[in-house]
Amino acid sequence: MTATAIRHDWSLQEINELFALPFNDLIFRAQGVHRQHFDPNEVQVSTLLSIKTGACPEDCKYCPQSGHYNTGLEKEKLLEIEQVVAEARAAREKGASRFCMGAAWRSPTKKDMPYVTEMVRQVKSLGLETCMTLGMLNDDQATELADAGLDYYNHNLDTSEKYYSHIITTRTYQDRLDTLERVRSAGMKVCCGGIMGMGEDSDDRSGLLMQLANLPHHPESVPINMLVKVAGTPMEDVEDLDPFEFVRTIAVARILMPNSHVRLSAGREDMNDQMQALCFLAGANSIFYGEKLLTTANPEADHDRQLFNRLGIRPEERDVNHTEDEHEEALVNALEEERNRHLFYDAAQIA
Ligand code: SAM
Ligand code: DTB
Ligand code: SF4
């Protein structure tokens, strides 16, 4: 078995061809890639906290926090640092290894920065990895966050470039790409993905994955969200996506970005255990853990613990920032182990 090449030059046609594989072949291939790069029985666990809720000036049609729609959400000012740290400590006690703080902002203001950087410092001092999602950043803000020790910045592209203006009109795709570039240049790890089931077509799902996979560096973390339909948003009645199409999206993300953590992100509350197991089989190896996402429900932590036990999945201790060389070495060791154990057939046979 040869190592999966890390590519940044995928064409839409190649990606569409992966999506079009018979389901079993696609999953087999994705699982093969997954086993070359990760322990297949480990899943990274993050907990989310909304540090500033609602009244967002952006008009993202999926979002309960946009001030453009009436979703009945109670808005909140930026939380006190002590409250954020207390929530982070509680998440750590429950077993999270990363704490993600989200704000309903278009961008942080100058006045917000000392608060959010202090949150990073204090949450990090608990031994947790830190992630923030605060909207668009300028160069100085990206540097300030990196200097505070922020590990990850989440900034989703959400969908393809072609479908973007159907979903959001208050910013452009290029705005998003610019922030991603600033986050990278400042030295932080990138968390970037999208939402499925927003009425997009299959080219849009391929187009999003093409954008992500053809970035100069793959995002370390790729959240694949299933739309949570919230009453009052323009997307409340959008047609359901075929769940197998969602699983396929995870499988293709796994194949295109072998070293990235692919997160089975929002939408698990509406998925049964079997569907989630299929997503793990397709190569998802990260989840949000804890009863709440930002403003909507997530499965009970107890239920997730039981699901992990039933599937023999262990929470990943910490996300280690492997270089591509280290991955290469880890890969050789993992392959050797697989060969010795005769656990898996050569996925390349099907490729
Ligand atoms: N305001 C910042 C931004 O947009 O980057 C950070 C917070 S925003 C809520 C983070 C991400 O949550 C969005 O980019 C979107 O992908 C996801 N999201 C928001 N509402 C969602 C929904 N109803 N279903 C699934 N994902 C959603
Ligand atoms: C991501 O891709 N999904 C998370 C996180 N990154 C910030 C947010 C999901 C939000 C779902 C709707 C809500 O709870 O408000
Ligand atoms: Fe605001 Fe982010 Fe929601 Fe868009 S996704 S409305 S930017 S909170």
Side-chain angles (χ1 to χ4, degrees), residues 49-331:
L49 175 69
S50 178
I51 59 169
K52 189 268 164 188
T53 305
C56 182
E58 304 276 49
D59 70 351
C60 315
K61 285 197 172 67
Y62 49 77
C63 187
Q65 303 204 66
S66 167
H68 295 255
Y69 320 120
N70 187 2
T71 59
L73 185 71
E74 217 163 290
K75 50 184 190 226
E76 280 174 15
K77 288 191 304 204
L78 184 61
L79 297 182
E80 298 292 338
I81 295 170
E82 296 70 39
Q83 195 178 344
V84 173
V85 174
E87 297 277 355
R89 195 173 284 116
R92 188 190 61 182
E93 302 313 311
K94 281 191 179 170
S97 62
R98 190 180 309 161
F99 193 65
C100 307
M101 295 157 268
W105 288 327
R106 172 174 166 82
S107 309
T109 63
K110 211 174 167 59
K111 179 166 87 29
D112 300 320
M113 290 307 293
Y115 291 96
V116 294
T117 49
E118 188 53 25
M119 286 174 193
V120 172
R121 287 191 191 93
Q122 294 201 21
V123 171
K124 220 175 147 70
S125 74
L126 300 175
L128 284 159
E129 290 186 318
T130 50
C131 176
M132 279 190 162
T133 178
L134 313 172
M136 293 180 280
L137 299 179
N138 62 32
D139 286 328
D140 290 346
Q141 291 170 330
T143 305
E144 272 184 70
L145 289 168
D147 288 350
L150 185 64
D151 298 297
Y152 288 80
Y153 195 77
N154 164 254
H155 201 63
N156 289 340
L157 287 174
D158 283 335
T159 189
S160 69
E161 188 164 17
K162 116 174 139 54
Y163 197 52
Y164 202 71
S165 62
H166 296 261
I167 305 295
I168 298 146
T169 68
T170 48
R171 58 171 189 259
T172 64
Y173 214 65
Q174 192 56 50
D175 289 333
R176 279 321 245 195
L177 291 168
D178 290 346
T179 291
L180 289 170
E181 168 59 30
R182 290 184 186 117
V183 168
R184 254 306 162 225
S185 304
M188 287 178 284
K189 287 180 247 183
V190 169
C191 171
C192 183
I195 309 178
M196 309 301 130
M198 298 194 294
E200 75 282 351
D201 63 24
S202 56
D203 263 0
D204 295 317
R205 287 185 285 278
S206 296
L208 167 68
L209 295 186
M210 184 173 77
Q211 283 285 346
L212 297 171
N214 291 346
L215 287 170
H217 294 276
H218 292 167
E220 282 78 1
S221 184
V222 179
I224 305 292
N225 297 276
M226 181 75 108
L227 174 70
V228 180
K229 294 181 202 173
V230 179
T233 65
M235 302 234 139
E236 63 176 312
D237 289 325
V238 73
E239 208 180 311
D240 278 344
L241 178 70
D242 175 359
F244 292 127
E245 206 45 37
F246 184 84
V247 180
R248 281 177 183 278
T249 308
I250 289 188
V252 175
R254 166 52 61 225
I255 293 167
L256 302 186
M257 293 168 279
N259 285 336
S260 305
H261 278 77
V262 175
R263 182 174 304 126
L264 168 56
S265 196
R268 290 197 301 120
E269 182 70 351
D270 295 321
M271 294 176 196
N272 64 21
D273 293 345
Q274 300 88 314
M275 168 72 177
Q276 294 182 58
L278 261 186
C279 292
F280 295 132
L281 191 62
N285 61 347
S286 171
I287 58 163
F288 284 123
Y289 173 71
E291 287 74 19
K292 208 170 173 193
L293 292 166
L294 288 172
T295 67
T296 64
N298 199 42
E300 296 284 326
D302 253 1
H303 187 97
D304 280 341
R305 268 196 295 272
Q306 281 171 29
L307 180 61
F308 275 24
N309 280 338
R310 286 163 71 206
L311 299 175
I313 288 175
R314 298 177 304 276
E316 187 185 277
E317 288 285 310
R318 250 188 81 234
D319 180 16
V320 184
N321 183 22
H322 292 299
T323 62
E324 288 191 2
D325 280 353
E326 283 169 335
H327 266 293
E328 208 58 37
E329 195 186 316
L331 169 64

